[in-house]
């Protein structure tokens, strides 16, 4: 069969190096000619932010960050940017912090330099999210894509192992879902496969040696690849399920992704033999599910949605909420009965089976 695809590569500078963030940021601020920098970092990320910004002039620090970017937080941050005549946004932190910078960029058009400190991957996508009246809206806009990403694994050393594992599996979910997402193509599948390989090598090393840089670097590299793949391939079944669950029941982002992933893989794998083969090869295991299961066991990964505030009584409603979002291109048709079974298994933490 002839190969044909339409692929968009997002334009971004990526500066990667442990212990280099402060120097790389100073060089980027100079290169961009920015004179009024707004630094966004939450209270718990402030010591990292001080370290990273030690070599630049900062017009204003902003620490009013909340999960899923509530609209009031977005408007407050936009007002701070305007009042301070800011010409560059620098976000230092996890996906929530990056998300707030994106919300400011969405309406102001200000450029972003992102310095991620988790494995969420928002820094490499042009996707924004905002929450209003307990409803999360997302959209795609190139204005929110950070022009530069600065990765420094030293900044992730303080991320607790449990959160590192959940966040790293969020990255893994970007890779696995990219294999069958609506815009999957040979390029994003290649990035996703390398992402799986890097995360599968890095995360066990983070777990066994949380203060070591080698595993953290691999995990960060894998997280970047996962996000580039996801930004190109779009949201597959897994992301649609997690997006609905997170928004409707306020479940924690990384842990929800980490828990749901094996159930979606078990569901889709029999109908997606090529994706299954690629994922298994990236893990270096006989089957894709065996690879993910073994990794999850090594990592002592999150097991059950009931542990994160999802109640069994919410399953029928969740099924109804998810069904309209199931991508038509999913390799296997998805019925209400299928979703009900998947959510019941994920709720209870049953062993995922094909
Ligand atoms: P988060 O940003 O909420 O961070 C979790 C916690 O870890 C926070 O308390 C934070 O302060 C802390 N933290 C961050 N870095 C740390 C470090 N190095 N050391 C110690 N503590 C640290 O969680 P997240 O999982 O990074 O991001 C989740 C959010 O990102 C969600 O809102 C999700 O929707 C969004 N997201 C968006 C995209 C996108 O493409 N737009 C992609 C992935 C995730």
């Amino acid at each position: 069969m002839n190969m044909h695809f339409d692929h968009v590569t997002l334009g971004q500078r990526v500066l990667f190096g442990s212990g280099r963030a402060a120097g790389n940021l100073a060089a980027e601020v100079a290169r961009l000619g920015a004179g009024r920098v707004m630094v966004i970092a939450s209270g718990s990320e402030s010591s990292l932010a001080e370290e990273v910004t030690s070599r630049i002039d900062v017009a204003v620090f902003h620490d009013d960050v909340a999960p899923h970017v509530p609209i009031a937080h977005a408007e407050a941050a936009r007002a701070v940017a305007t009042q301070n005549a800011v010409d560059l946004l620098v976000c230092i932190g996890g996906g929530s912090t990056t998300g707030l910078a994106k919300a400011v960029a969405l309406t102001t058009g200000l450029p972003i330099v992102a310095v991620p400190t988790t494995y969420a991957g928002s820094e490499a996508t042009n996707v924004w999210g905002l929450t209003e009246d307990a409803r999360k809206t997302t959209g795609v806009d190139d204005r929110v894509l950070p022009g530069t990403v600065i990765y420094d694994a030293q900044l992730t050393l303080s991320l607790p192992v449990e959160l590192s594992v959940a966040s790293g599996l969020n990255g893994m979910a970007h890779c696995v879902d990219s294999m069958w997402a609506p815009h999957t193509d040979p390029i994003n599948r290649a990035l996703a496969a390398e992402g799986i390989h890097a995360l599968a090598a890095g995360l066990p090393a983070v777990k066994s040696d949380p203060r070591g840089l080698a595993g953290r670097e691999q995990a960060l590299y894998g997280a970047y690849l996962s996000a580039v793949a996801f930004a190109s391939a779009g949201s597959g079944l897994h992301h649609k399920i997690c997006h609905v669950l997170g928004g409707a029941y306020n479940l924690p982002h990384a842990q929800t992704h980490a828990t749901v992933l094996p159930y979606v893989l078990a569901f889709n794998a029999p109908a997606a033999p090529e994706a299954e083969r690629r994922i298994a090869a990236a893990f270096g295991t006989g089957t894709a599910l065996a690879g993910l299961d073994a990794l999850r066991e090594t990592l002592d990964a999150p097991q059950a949605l009931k542990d994160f505030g999802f109640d069994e009584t919410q399953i029928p409603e969740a099924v109804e909420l998810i069904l309209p979002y199931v991508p038509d291109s999913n390799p296997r048709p998805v019925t209400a009965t299928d979703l009900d079974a998947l959510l019941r298994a994920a709720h209870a933490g049953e062993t995922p089976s094909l």
Side-chain angles (χ1 to χ4, degrees):
M1 204 167 79
N2 291 332
M3 183 186 276
H4 66 92
F5 56 86
D6 300 345
H7 178 88
V8 177
T9 298
L10 300 176
Q12 214 174 32
R13 279 167 72 84
V14 178
L15 307 174
F16 195 108
S18 297
R20 292 170 177 260
N24 278 336
L25 178 61
E28 258 328 81
V29 169
R31 188 183 70 82
L32 295 167
R36 307 275 310 161
V37 176
M38 174 169 171
V39 175
I40 301 178
S42 72
S44 59
E45 295 154 353
S46 61
S47 59
L48 295 174
E50 276 170 32
E51 189 186 323
V52 173
T53 57
S54 58
R55 297 190 213 168
I56 61 165
D57 291 330
V58 175
V60 57
F61 281 95
H62 185 77
D63 67 2
D64 194 10
V65 176
H68 304 304
V69 198
I71 188 78
H73 286 69
E75 280 166 4
R78 289 165 180 166
V80 170
T82 306
Q83 283 153 14
N84 288 277
V86 163
D87 59 9
L88 178 67
L89 303 168
V90 173
C91 53
I92 302 164
S96 300
T97 296
T98 311
L100 184 60
K102 286 178 161 183
V104 177
L106 184 64
T107 54
T108 62
L110 284 166
I112 303 175
V113 173
V115 188
T117 63
T118 70
Y119 309 123
S122 176
E123 68 280 358
T125 82
N126 53 0
V127 178
W128 54 266
L130 282 167
T131 306
E132 194 168 10
D133 299 330
R135 209 175 139 260
K136 188 163 180 178
T137 320
T138 59
V140 176
D141 193 316
D142 283 346
R143 277 178 303 180
V144 309
L145 178 75
T148 307
V149 187
I150 296 176
Y151 286 106
D152 180 342
Q154 273 185 7
L155 305 176
T156 64
L157 292 177
S158 53
L159 194 64
V161 169
E162 213 174 319
L163 196 47
S164 301
V165 164
S167 187
L169 290 172
N170 182 189
M172 183 63 79
H174 293 324
C175 297
V176 171
D177 219 25
S178 291
M179 294 289 184
W180 46 59
H183 304 292
T184 187
D185 67 37
I187 297 177
N188 53 46
R189 283 198 294 274
L191 294 166
E194 172 67 359
I196 292 169
H197 188 68
L199 287 164
L203 294 176
V206 170
K207 166 102 176 159
S208 63
D209 180 17
R211 303 292 305 167
L213 275 176
R216 296 278 184 185
E217 285 184 344
Q218 278 301 306
L220 208 48
Y221 166 63
Y224 165 70
L225 294 173
S226 81
V228 177
F230 167 62
S232 165
S235 287
L237 178 63
H238 170 86
H239 278 79
K240 296 300 184 190
I241 292 173
C242 292
H243 179 82
V244 168
L245 292 178
Y249 309 110
N250 201 24
L251 306 188
H253 180 82
Q255 292 85 344
T256 303
H257 279 267
T259 306
V260 170
L261 183 61
Y263 300 98
V264 176
L265 177 59
F267 180 79
N268 268 350
E274 174 61 17
E276 204 280 334
R277 189 192 62 72
R278 291 290 297 263
I279 298 167
F283 276 119
T285 48
T287 69
L289 194 57
L292 183 62
D293 277 350
L295 178 67
R296 286 172 43 80
E297 195 168 332
T298 305
L299 298 177
D300 197 12
Q303 293 279 350
L305 288 178
K306 65 178 162 46
D307 298 338
F308 300 104
F310 186 52
D311 196 88
E312 201 174 2
T313 57
Q314 293 166 322
I315 291 175
E317 181 194 50
V319 168
E320 292 309 313
L321 290 173
I322 293 165
L323 264 181
Y325 290 100
V326 171
D328 290 340
S329 57
N330 194 60
R332 189 174 159 185
V334 185
T335 65
T337 310
D338 294 330
L339 272 182
D340 187 86
L342 190 155
L343 290 181
R344 283 188 194 282
H347 168 268
E350 284 165 16
T351 305
S353 56
L354 296 173

PDB file of all heavy atoms in Angstrom, residues 4 13 49 59 86-88 97-98 115 127 135 142 158 165-166 173 200 213 216 236 264-265 268 294 296 321 335 338:
ATOM      1  N   HIS A   4       0.642   7.521   2.656  1.00  0.00           N
ATOM      2  CA  HIS A   4       0.237   8.922   2.491  1.00  0.00           C
ATOM      3  C   HIS A   4      -0.243   9.464   3.836  1.00  0.00           C
ATOM      4  O   HIS A   4      -0.917   8.759   4.593  1.00  0.00           O
ATOM      5  CB  HIS A   4      -0.850   9.068   1.426  1.00  0.00           C
ATOM      6  CG  HIS A   4      -2.148   8.429   1.793  1.00  0.00           C
ATOM      7  ND1 HIS A   4      -3.166   9.081   2.429  1.00  0.00           N
ATOM      8  CD2 HIS A   4      -2.572   7.147   1.636  1.00  0.00           C
ATOM      9  CE1 HIS A   4      -4.163   8.252   2.648  1.00  0.00           C
ATOM     10  NE2 HIS A   4      -3.835   7.075   2.184  1.00  0.00           N
ATOM     11  N   ARG A  13      11.685  25.917  19.928  1.00  0.00           N
ATOM     12  CA  ARG A  13      13.077  25.647  20.300  1.00  0.00           C
ATOM     13  C   ARG A  13      13.065  24.804  21.554  1.00  0.00           C
ATOM     14  O   ARG A  13      12.311  25.091  22.489  1.00  0.00           O
ATOM     15  CB  ARG A  13      13.798  26.957  20.642  1.00  0.00           C
ATOM     16  CG  ARG A  13      14.279  27.735  19.457  1.00  0.00           C
ATOM     17  CD  ARG A  13      14.675  29.120  19.896  1.00  0.00           C
ATOM     18  NE  ARG A  13      15.910  29.138  20.664  1.00  0.00           N
ATOM     19  CZ  ARG A  13      17.132  29.158  20.136  1.00  0.00           C
ATOM     20  NH1 ARG A  13      17.280  29.143  18.839  1.00  0.00           N
ATOM     21  NH2 ARG A  13      18.201  29.208  20.905  1.00  0.00           N
ATOM     22  N   ALA A  49      11.537  28.356  40.884  1.00  0.00           N
ATOM     23  CA  ALA A  49      11.451  29.563  40.037  1.00  0.00           C
ATOM     24  C   ALA A  49      12.545  30.559  40.394  1.00  0.00           C
ATOM     25  O   ALA A  49      13.146  31.173  39.505  1.00  0.00           O
ATOM     26  CB  ALA A  49      10.078  30.194  40.182  1.00  0.00           C
ATOM     27  N   ALA A  59       9.962  41.401  35.971  1.00  0.00           N
ATOM     28  CA  ALA A  59       9.060  42.525  36.236  1.00  0.00           C
ATOM     29  C   ALA A  59       8.053  42.142  37.311  1.00  0.00           C
ATOM     30  O   ALA A  59       7.729  42.929  38.201  1.00  0.00           O
ATOM     31  CB  ALA A  59       8.349  42.937  34.950  1.00  0.00           C
ATOM     32  N   VAL A  86       3.875  43.585  30.457  1.00  0.00           N
ATOM     33  CA  VAL A  86       4.761  42.429  30.263  1.00  0.00           C
ATOM     34  C   VAL A  86       4.994  42.161  28.773  1.00  0.00           C
ATOM     35  O   VAL A  86       4.092  42.357  27.953  1.00  0.00           O
ATOM     36  CB  VAL A  86       4.079  41.211  30.952  1.00  0.00           C
ATOM     37  CG1 VAL A  86       4.657  39.899  30.481  1.00  0.00           C
ATOM     38  CG2 VAL A  86       4.183  41.355  32.472  1.00  0.00           C
ATOM     39  N   ASP A  87       6.213  41.736  28.413  1.00  0.00           N
ATOM     40  CA  ASP A  87       6.455  41.367  27.012  1.00  0.00           C
ATOM     41  C   ASP A  87       6.899  39.908  26.850  1.00  0.00           C
ATOM     42  O   ASP A  87       7.138  39.449  25.736  1.00  0.00           O
ATOM     43  CB  ASP A  87       7.428  42.334  26.322  1.00  0.00           C
ATOM     44  CG  ASP A  87       8.784  42.410  27.003  1.00  0.00           C
ATOM     45  OD1 ASP A  87       9.054  41.603  27.919  1.00  0.00           O
ATOM     46  OD2 ASP A  87       9.588  43.285  26.621  1.00  0.00           O
ATOM     47  N   LEU A  88       7.030  39.166  27.956  1.00  0.00           N
ATOM     48  CA  LEU A  88       7.369  37.741  27.871  1.00  0.00           C
ATOM     49  C   LEU A  88       6.831  37.018  29.104  1.00  0.00           C
ATOM     50  O   LEU A  88       6.963  37.514  30.227  1.00  0.00           O
ATOM     51  CB  LEU A  88       8.899  37.548  27.801  1.00  0.00           C
ATOM     52  CG  LEU A  88       9.400  36.087  27.763  1.00  0.00           C
ATOM     53  CD1 LEU A  88       8.994  35.390  26.466  1.00  0.00           C
ATOM     54  CD2 LEU A  88      10.924  36.027  27.927  1.00  0.00           C
ATOM     55  N   THR A  97       0.632  25.125  35.917  1.00  0.00           N
ATOM     56  CA  THR A  97       1.333  26.404  35.765  1.00  0.00           C
ATOM     57  C   THR A  97       1.475  26.756  34.284  1.00  0.00           C
ATOM     58  O   THR A  97       1.206  27.892  33.873  1.00  0.00           O
ATOM     59  CB  THR A  97       2.719  26.303  36.451  1.00  0.00           C
ATOM     60  OG1 THR A  97       2.485  26.100  37.842  1.00  0.00           O
ATOM     61  CG2 THR A  97       3.547  27.541  36.238  1.00  0.00           C
ATOM     62  N   THR A  98       1.868  25.782  33.491  1.00  0.00           N
ATOM     63  CA  THR A  98       1.961  26.006  32.042  1.00  0.00           C
ATOM     64  C   THR A  98       0.594  26.403  31.506  1.00  0.00           C
ATOM     65  O   THR A  98       0.479  27.296  30.656  1.00  0.00           O
ATOM     66  CB  THR A  98       2.445  24.720  31.321  1.00  0.00           C
ATOM     67  OG1 THR A  98       3.592  24.219  32.002  1.00  0.00           O
ATOM     68  CG2 THR A  98       2.779  24.978  29.872  1.00  0.00           C
ATOM     69  N   VAL A 115       9.316  26.247  31.326  1.00  0.00           N
ATOM     70  CA  VAL A 115      10.321  25.452  32.031  1.00  0.00           C
ATOM     71  C   VAL A 115       9.555  24.402  32.847  1.00  0.00           C
ATOM     72  O   VAL A 115       9.148  24.648  33.980  1.00  0.00           O
ATOM     73  CB  VAL A 115      11.194  26.334  32.962  1.00  0.00           C
ATOM     74  CG1 VAL A 115      12.349  25.506  33.528  1.00  0.00           C
ATOM     75  CG2 VAL A 115      11.712  27.571  32.230  1.00  0.00           C
ATOM     76  N   VAL A 127      -2.417  23.166  22.809  1.00  0.00           N
ATOM     77  CA  VAL A 127      -3.742  22.944  23.400  1.00  0.00           C
ATOM     78  C   VAL A 127      -3.859  23.756  24.688  1.00  0.00           C
ATOM     79  O   VAL A 127      -2.958  23.719  25.525  1.00  0.00           O
ATOM     80  CB  VAL A 127      -3.943  21.442  23.739  1.00  0.00           C
ATOM     81  CG1 VAL A 127      -5.298  21.210  24.387  1.00  0.00           C
ATOM     82  CG2 VAL A 127      -3.789  20.590  22.495  1.00  0.00           C
ATOM     83  N   ARG A 135     -16.830  23.062  34.466  1.00  0.00           N
ATOM     84  CA  ARG A 135     -16.781  22.461  33.135  1.00  0.00           C
ATOM     85  C   ARG A 135     -15.488  22.882  32.464  1.00  0.00           C
ATOM     86  O   ARG A 135     -15.194  24.072  32.368  1.00  0.00           O
ATOM     87  CB  ARG A 135     -17.986  22.956  32.326  1.00  0.00           C
ATOM     88  CG  ARG A 135     -18.435  21.967  31.299  1.00  0.00           C
ATOM     89  CD  ARG A 135     -19.698  22.352  30.561  1.00  0.00           C
ATOM     90  NE  ARG A 135     -19.530  22.011  29.156  1.00  0.00           N
ATOM     91  CZ  ARG A 135     -19.210  22.876  28.225  1.00  0.00           C
ATOM     92  NH1 ARG A 135     -19.020  24.140  28.525  1.00  0.00           N
ATOM     93  NH2 ARG A 135     -19.066  22.500  26.973  1.00  0.00           N
ATOM     94  N   ASP A 142      -2.400  28.192  18.087  1.00  0.00           N
ATOM     95  CA  ASP A 142      -0.938  28.273  18.032  1.00  0.00           C
ATOM     96  C   ASP A 142      -0.370  29.383  18.918  1.00  0.00           C
ATOM     97  O   ASP A 142       0.809  29.343  19.256  1.00  0.00           O
ATOM     98  CB  ASP A 142      -0.460  28.454  16.580  1.00  0.00           C
ATOM     99  CG  ASP A 142      -0.510  27.140  15.805  1.00  0.00           C
ATOM    100  OD1 ASP A 142      -0.652  26.080  16.451  1.00  0.00           O
ATOM    101  OD2 ASP A 142      -0.426  27.175  14.566  1.00  0.00           O
ATOM    102  N   SER A 158      12.892  17.213  42.930  1.00  0.00           N
ATOM    103  CA  SER A 158      12.023  17.413  44.103  1.00  0.00           C
ATOM    104  C   SER A 158      10.627  16.830  43.899  1.00  0.00           C
ATOM    105  O   SER A 158       9.818  16.824  44.832  1.00  0.00           O
ATOM    106  CB  SER A 158      11.917  18.917  44.410  1.00  0.00           C
ATOM    107  OG  SER A 158      11.526  19.600  43.235  1.00  0.00           O
ATOM    108  N   VAL A 165       5.829   8.997  39.163  1.00  0.00           N
ATOM    109  CA  VAL A 165       5.296   7.795  38.510  1.00  0.00           C
ATOM    110  C   VAL A 165       3.983   8.121  37.798  1.00  0.00           C
ATOM    111  O   VAL A 165       3.801   7.803  36.616  1.00  0.00           O
ATOM    112  CB  VAL A 165       5.088   6.671  39.559  1.00  0.00           C
ATOM    113  CG1 VAL A 165       4.181   5.573  39.022  1.00  0.00           C
ATOM    114  CG2 VAL A 165       6.437   6.097  39.980  1.00  0.00           C
ATOM    115  N   ALA A 166       3.068   8.789  38.508  1.00  0.00           N
ATOM    116  CA  ALA A 166       1.769   9.106  37.895  1.00  0.00           C
ATOM    117  C   ALA A 166       1.961  10.037  36.705  1.00  0.00           C
ATOM    118  O   ALA A 166       1.388   9.834  35.627  1.00  0.00           O
ATOM    119  CB  ALA A 166       0.848   9.746  38.933  1.00  0.00           C
ATOM    120  N   ALA A 173       0.717   7.588  28.495  1.00  0.00           N
ATOM    121  CA  ALA A 173      -0.628   7.588  27.900  1.00  0.00           C
ATOM    122  C   ALA A 173      -0.659   8.419  26.622  1.00  0.00           C
ATOM    123  O   ALA A 173      -1.347   8.064  25.652  1.00  0.00           O
ATOM    124  CB  ALA A 173      -1.647   8.122  28.898  1.00  0.00           C
ATOM    125  N   ALA A 200       9.881   3.985  29.632  1.00  0.00           N
ATOM    126  CA  ALA A 200      10.003   2.656  30.232  1.00  0.00           C
ATOM    127  C   ALA A 200      11.394   2.442  30.825  1.00  0.00           C
ATOM    128  O   ALA A 200      11.565   1.674  31.779  1.00  0.00           O
ATOM    129  CB  ALA A 200       9.706   1.575  29.190  1.00  0.00           C
ATOM    130  N   LEU A 213      20.137  11.619  38.367  1.00  0.00           N
ATOM    131  CA  LEU A 213      19.727  12.408  37.198  1.00  0.00           C
ATOM    132  C   LEU A 213      19.458  11.555  35.956  1.00  0.00           C
ATOM    133  O   LEU A 213      18.671  11.949  35.097  1.00  0.00           O
ATOM    134  CB  LEU A 213      20.806  13.441  36.854  1.00  0.00           C
ATOM    135  CG  LEU A 213      20.719  14.753  37.633  1.00  0.00           C
ATOM    136  CD1 LEU A 213      21.898  15.658  37.273  1.00  0.00           C
ATOM    137  CD2 LEU A 213      19.399  15.466  37.332  1.00  0.00           C
ATOM    138  N   ARG A 216      15.847  10.594  35.568  1.00  0.00           N
ATOM    139  CA  ARG A 216      15.048  11.822  35.411  1.00  0.00           C
ATOM    140  C   ARG A 216      15.209  12.384  34.000  1.00  0.00           C
ATOM    141  O   ARG A 216      14.254  12.882  33.408  1.00  0.00           O
ATOM    142  CB  ARG A 216      15.501  12.870  36.431  1.00  0.00           C
ATOM    143  CG  ARG A 216      15.278  12.474  37.892  1.00  0.00           C
ATOM    144  CD  ARG A 216      13.864  12.753  38.318  1.00  0.00           C
ATOM    145  NE  ARG A 216      13.615  12.493  39.733  1.00  0.00           N
ATOM    146  CZ  ARG A 216      12.402  12.589  40.277  1.00  0.00           C
ATOM    147  NH1 ARG A 216      11.347  12.927  39.554  1.00  0.00           N
ATOM    148  NH2 ARG A 216      12.236  12.336  41.554  1.00  0.00           N
ATOM    149  N   GLY A 236      -7.089  10.452  21.530  1.00  0.00           N
ATOM    150  CA  GLY A 236      -7.736   9.182  21.247  1.00  0.00           C
ATOM    151  C   GLY A 236      -8.695   8.818  22.372  1.00  0.00           C
ATOM    152  O   GLY A 236      -8.972   9.637  23.272  1.00  0.00           O
ATOM    153  N   VAL A 264      -7.697   0.829  28.576  1.00  0.00           N
ATOM    154  CA  VAL A 264      -7.894   1.245  27.177  1.00  0.00           C
ATOM    155  C   VAL A 264      -6.986   0.425  26.266  1.00  0.00           C
ATOM    156  O   VAL A 264      -7.397  -0.023  25.196  1.00  0.00           O
ATOM    157  CB  VAL A 264      -7.649   2.759  26.999  1.00  0.00           C
ATOM    158  CG1 VAL A 264      -7.767   3.150  25.528  1.00  0.00           C
ATOM    159  CG2 VAL A 264      -8.633   3.563  27.836  1.00  0.00           C
ATOM    160  N   LEU A 265      -5.759   0.192  26.716  1.00  0.00           N
ATOM    161  CA  LEU A 265      -4.845  -0.618  25.904  1.00  0.00           C
ATOM    162  C   LEU A 265      -5.412  -2.031  25.731  1.00  0.00           C
ATOM    163  O   LEU A 265      -5.419  -2.580  24.617  1.00  0.00           O
ATOM    164  CB  LEU A 265      -3.453  -0.662  26.556  1.00  0.00           C
ATOM    165  CG  LEU A 265      -2.416  -1.542  25.855  1.00  0.00           C
ATOM    166  CD1 LEU A 265      -2.186  -1.092  24.407  1.00  0.00           C
ATOM    167  CD2 LEU A 265      -1.081  -1.517  26.618  1.00  0.00           C
ATOM    168  N   ASN A 268      -8.363  -1.808  23.197  1.00  0.00           N
ATOM    169  CA  ASN A 268      -8.067  -1.507  21.791  1.00  0.00           C
ATOM    170  C   ASN A 268      -7.082  -2.473  21.131  1.00  0.00           C
ATOM    171  O   ASN A 268      -7.145  -2.690  19.919  1.00  0.00           O
ATOM    172  CB  ASN A 268      -7.499  -0.081  21.657  1.00  0.00           C
ATOM    173  CG  ASN A 268      -8.595   0.948  21.390  1.00  0.00           C
ATOM    174  OD1 ASN A 268      -9.741   0.602  21.124  1.00  0.00           O
ATOM    175  ND2 ASN A 268      -8.241   2.218  21.468  1.00  0.00           N
ATOM    176  N   ALA A 294       4.075  -4.896  33.326  1.00  0.00           N
ATOM    177  CA  ALA A 294       5.346  -5.101  34.037  1.00  0.00           C
ATOM    178  C   ALA A 294       5.886  -3.761  34.542  1.00  0.00           C
ATOM    179  O   ALA A 294       6.364  -3.657  35.678  1.00  0.00           O
ATOM    180  CB  ALA A 294       6.362  -5.773  33.104  1.00  0.00           C
ATOM    181  N   ARG A 296       4.143  -1.057  35.213  1.00  0.00           N
ATOM    182  CA  ARG A 296       3.268  -0.572  36.288  1.00  0.00           C
ATOM    183  C   ARG A 296       3.560  -1.306  37.594  1.00  0.00           C
ATOM    184  O   ARG A 296       3.520  -0.733  38.675  1.00  0.00           O
ATOM    185  CB  ARG A 296       1.789  -0.728  35.884  1.00  0.00           C
ATOM    186  CG  ARG A 296       1.345   0.311  34.842  1.00  0.00           C
ATOM    187  CD  ARG A 296      -0.059   0.008  34.311  1.00  0.00           C
ATOM    188  NE  ARG A 296      -0.959  -0.363  35.378  1.00  0.00           N
ATOM    189  CZ  ARG A 296      -1.557   0.501  36.190  1.00  0.00           C
ATOM    190  NH1 ARG A 296      -1.382   1.784  36.016  1.00  0.00           N
ATOM    191  NH2 ARG A 296      -2.333   0.080  37.158  1.00  0.00           N
ATOM    192  N   LEU A 321     -21.663  10.510  29.477  1.00  0.00           N
ATOM    193  CA  LEU A 321     -20.868  11.702  29.174  1.00  0.00           C
ATOM    194  C   LEU A 321     -19.737  11.401  28.190  1.00  0.00           C
ATOM    195  O   LEU A 321     -19.390  12.227  27.353  1.00  0.00           O
ATOM    196  CB  LEU A 321     -20.265  12.284  30.469  1.00  0.00           C
ATOM    197  CG  LEU A 321     -21.248  12.928  31.453  1.00  0.00           C
ATOM    198  CD1 LEU A 321     -20.543  13.301  32.754  1.00  0.00           C
ATOM    199  CD2 LEU A 321     -21.877  14.171  30.828  1.00  0.00           C
ATOM    200  N   THR A 335     -19.250   0.611  22.644  1.00  0.00           N
ATOM    201  CA  THR A 335     -20.658   0.706  23.043  1.00  0.00           C
ATOM    202  C   THR A 335     -20.740   1.148  24.500  1.00  0.00           C
ATOM    203  O   THR A 335     -19.735   1.142  25.226  1.00  0.00           O
ATOM    204  CB  THR A 335     -21.356  -0.664  22.929  1.00  0.00           C
ATOM    205  OG1 THR A 335     -20.730  -1.542  23.887  1.00  0.00           O
ATOM    206  CG2 THR A 335     -21.225  -1.259  21.532  1.00  0.00           C
ATOM    207  N   ASP A 338     -19.532  -1.581  26.634  1.00  0.00           N
ATOM    208  CA  ASP A 338     -18.060  -1.655  26.692  1.00  0.00           C
ATOM    209  C   ASP A 338     -17.518  -0.638  27.703  1.00  0.00           C
ATOM    210  O   ASP A 338     -16.643  -0.955  28.510  1.00  0.00           O
ATOM    211  CB  ASP A 338     -17.439  -1.321  25.321  1.00  0.00           C
ATOM    212  CG  ASP A 338     -17.775  -2.342  24.253  1.00  0.00           C
ATOM    213  OD1 ASP A 338     -17.961  -3.517  24.603  1.00  0.00           O
ATOM    214  OD2 ASP A 338     -17.840  -1.941  23.079  1.00  0.00           O
TER     215      ASP A 338
END
